[in-house]
Amino acid sequence: MKKVKIAILAIFLILLLGSMSACVQITVENPNAKPNGSSEISVASSSSASSSTSRPAASSAPGCGDAPCFASKPSSDKIVLPNFVGMIYDTDIKDNADYADLEFEITYDNVPSKQPGEVLRQTPAAGMTVKKGKTVSLTVNGEAEQVVVEDVKGYKQQDAYDALKALNLSPKIQAVADDDTAVGYVVKTDPAAGSTVSTGTTVTIYVSSGPSTESAVIPNIVGYQYSAAKEELEAAGFVVTAEYDDESDKDENTVLSVSPNEGEKAKKGSVVTVTVSSGKGAQKDVYYDIPLPGGVSDDLTMKIYVDGTLIETRTVNPSTSPYSNMTFTGKGRANLVITLNDQQYITAEIDYTTQSINVTSQQAYSPMK
């Protein structure tokens, strides 16, 4: 027992001096377990030496078991970049407090199919971790600039390509047979020279491949949809280009005429021009569910005016149905005024092109006393 007491006292002294780890395991063997009746004490430490240097605070987070866990906080000066692509710079990013710790470098590109101000590309990419104050490069879609297609007829192919490219257009080469233009020189463009288009627009440059030795008859395609007519002409060996007529009252994409004319012979590989209705001049139907005032159970006289002309008078009762249906037929735009018991109720614009009703005002109905 004397040896046991001495050993225990030694342990306490070691702990007080800080020369051993805080994790100490004491194993006392039963004196009766050894034949000579001696006792054995073993001391185990989790480290071979102690230090006066301060340690991180031990965490009691789940999953650590009996061993201490040391938490490491993420660096507060780092940011994970969001995906800016698809956002509108002026409204979603600029002056947004969420991105106050970033700097932005803006360059512009033009993609006609995207919205003005939409972010097209970013560097570094989304998901990258960067330091606060990092400059992020954004490529933003600029407003489409309008340019006039240069007349490059008679130019060499490369010269025509370079001239249109310098206007920030997208040239595309198409070979065509032509009896009057030397091989490698431009016959025409689509859109045609002198047309006003947005930068980034694709302009097809038709380049002569020389005279064709074969001819074919222009098929009957007037009245067809453009896609079907184009398919037939290409199957006959022609190169097809389209021109659009805004004045036609035919449905959109209806073929109005063709040059050379139907039934005429033309060289295979030559350009055939198809005139197509843009649909802007065609009459269209616009449906409108006219909302009726709530809390009214009396019959009301509704009058409907289009461009100042009374086109219909009807009796409606809001307690029977909350809407009154109306179909308008026309083209372009028209002004719409609806009255209830001679009180102005709704003013709107009918857009036949988009087939929509754009309400500009709706006034509360006041029952007569």
Side-chain angles (χ1 to χ4, degrees):
M1 289 298 293
K2 197 173 201 177
K3 289 182 178 180
V4 172
K5 289 179 180 178
I6 292 170
I8 293 173
L9 181 58
I11 292 169
F12 287 145
L13 289 173
I14 291 169
L15 294 175
L16 288 173
L17 293 174
S19 59
M20 298 296 293
S21 168
C23 181
V24 179
Q25 181 178 358
I26 301 175
T27 305
V28 179
E29 297 290 343
N30 189 328
N32 299 322
K34 287 186 176 285
N36 58 7
S38 65
S39 298
E40 181 181 303
I41 297 177
S42 65
V43 180
S45 172
S46 59
S47 62
S48 60
S50 64
S51 170
S52 61
T53 304
S54 61
R55 297 173 178 271
S59 167
S60 58
C64 295
D66 295 331
C69 294
F70 298 101
S72 60
K73 294 182 179 179
S75 175
S76 60
D77 66 343
K78 299 290 182 69
I79 300 173
V80 178
L81 288 179
N83 185 11
F84 292 115
V85 175
M87 292 186 182
I88 304 301
Y89 177 70
D90 284 341
T91 57
D92 299 334
I93 302 172
K94 185 180 179 182
D95 300 326
N96 189 330
D98 291 343
Y99 312 128
D101 292 324
L102 295 170
E103 299 291 334
F104 294 100
E105 179 183 65
I106 308 301
T107 58
Y108 291 91
D109 196 357
N110 179 247
V111 179
S113 61
K114 300 292 185 180
Q115 299 180 69
E118 182 175 340
V119 176
L120 306 174
R121 295 179 291 279
Q122 73 178 75
T123 304
M128 297 289 289
T129 300
V130 300
K131 287 186 176 182
K132 288 183 178 179
K134 172 71 176 178
T135 297
V136 179
S137 298
L138 301 179
T139 302
V140 175
N141 194 35
E143 291 282 353
E145 186 180 345
Q146 299 296 301
V147 295
V148 176
V149 177
E150 184 176 340
D151 186 358
V152 294
K153 181 178 179 179
Y155 283 29
K156 289 183 178 180
Q157 175 179 310
Q158 189 61 51
D159 292 341
Y161 186 96
D162 292 342
L164 295 177
K165 193 70 176 176
L167 294 174
N168 292 321
L169 299 171
S170 298
K172 183 179 75 171
I173 304 299
Q174 172 69 59
V176 294
D178 190 89
D179 292 343
D180 302 320
T181 307
V183 174
Y185 286 79
V186 175
V187 177
K188 60 181 290 186
T189 61
D190 181 25
S195 301
T196 300
V197 297
S198 300
T199 54
T201 299
T202 298
V203 177
T204 303
I205 304 172
Y206 294 97
V207 178
S208 175
S209 59
S212 174
T213 57
E214 292 185 72
S215 297
V217 175
I218 304 295
N220 296 324
I221 55 170
V222 173
Y224 282 30
Q225 281 291 290
Y226 175 64
S227 57
K230 184 172 184 287
E231 188 176 328
E232 280 209 26
L233 288 167
E234 288 178 340
F238 300 111
V239 175
V240 184
T241 184
E243 293 180 353
Y244 288 88
D245 183 344
D246 292 340
E247 302 300 321
S248 170
D249 61 359
K250 300 297 183 182
D251 290 338
E252 185 178 3
N253 286 325
T254 301
V255 174
L256 305 175
S257 63
V258 58
S259 177
N261 295 322
E262 294 174 321
E264 291 184 0
K265 283 189 175 184
K267 295 288 182 70
K268 287 188 176 183
S270 62
V271 176
V272 173
T273 302
V274 179
T275 302
V276 181
S277 171
S278 67
K280 293 180 180 179
Q283 288 199 334
K284 294 182 180 179
D285 290 335
V286 178
Y287 303 94
Y288 184 31
D289 285 331
I290 304 168
L292 301 180
V296 178
S297 57
D298 296 331
D299 286 345
L300 304 175
T301 300
M302 175 182 284
K303 294 181 180 179
I304 302 172
Y305 298 83
V306 175
D307 285 338
T309 300
L310 177 64
I311 62 168
E312 186 167 327
T313 300
R314 62 174 67 167
T315 300
V316 297
N317 191 315
S319 64
T320 303
S321 173
Y323 295 97
S324 182
N325 302 319
M326 182 69 185
T327 300
F328 302 95
T329 302
K331 59 183 179 180
R333 298 171 185 264
N335 294 317
L336 171 66
V337 175
I338 299 172
T339 65
L340 292 176
N341 285 358
D342 293 324
Q343 295 180 36
Q344 187 157 308
Y345 179 52
I346 289 175
T347 58
E349 182 185 66
I350 306 170
D351 190 332
Y352 292 103
T353 302
T354 61
Q355 294 179 284
S356 61
I357 300 286
N358 305 311
V359 176
T360 54
S361 71
Q362 180 172 336
Q363 301 178 24
Y365 170 74
S366 300
M368 296 288 190
K369 293 185 178 179

